[in-house]
Amino acid sequence: QVQLVESGGGLVQAGGSLRLSCAASGRTFSRSDMGWFRQAPAKEREFVAGIIGSSIYYTDSVKGRFTISRDNAKNTVYLQMNSLKPEDTAVYYCAAFSYGSPYSVNSYSYWGQGTQVTVSP
């Protein structure tokens, strides 16, 4: 079993920054292949960013503003979010990648409980 715990969410004004963290426990990661997703009210969960091996992926709407990184020694993945917009408001989830497309929710086998990010105009 793997436990993922997100932190770092909160309320920020448009143009501000937040850094989300996702700490993994319960299994030793030799390589922390992880992804970040988000879900806004009444919308489907969508891919935000992923770090799989040496490859990094972003959805188009966050390119140039968000940065995913990881610290294998700490089993932690981060999502640095800059220039935040009201449309970034959502619950953000981290997930452990299993196999398949990095962009698909079905490719991830473990999920955190989510952390709320709210961006005010």
Side-chain angles (χ1 to χ4, degrees), residues 16-56:
S17 299
L18 285 173
R19 187 177 83 153
L20 305 183
S21 300
C22 174
S25 62
R27 184 177 80 188
T28 300
F29 286 91
S30 60
R31 185 181 73 183
S32 299
D33 294 340
M34 303 286 287
W36 286 96
F37 288 74
R38 65 188 179 187
Q39 188 167 18
K43 293 189 176 181
E44 292 189 353
R45 192 168 298 188
E46 66 171 354
F47 173 81
V48 175
I51 183 164
I52 314 298
S54 60
S55 298
I56 291 178

Side-chain angles (χ1 to χ4, degrees), residues 36-114:
W36 286 96
F37 288 74
R38 65 188 179 187
Q39 188 167 18
K43 293 189 176 181
E44 292 189 353
R45 192 168 298 188
E46 66 171 354
F47 173 81
V48 175
I51 183 164
I52 314 298
S54 60
S55 298
I56 291 178
Y57 307 86
Y58 296 102
T59 192
D60 287 345
S61 63
V62 308
K63 285 180 181 177
R65 300 189 298 122
F66 291 11
T67 303
I68 188 171
S69 62
R70 66 183 170 206
D71 184 335
N72 286 340
K74 296 181 178 180
N75 280 351
T76 300
V77 175
Y78 304 96
L79 185 67
Q80 177 67 44
M81 306 187 295
N82 298 328
S83 302
L84 283 161
K85 304 175 181 180
E87 51 263 44
D88 294 317
T89 295
V91 177
Y92 283 70
Y93 299 88
C94 68
F97 179 78
S98 180
Y99 66 92
S101 166
Y103 302 97
S104 171
V105 295
N106 297 320
S107 300
Y108 296 78
S109 51
Y110 297 97
W111 293 82
Q113 82 288 349

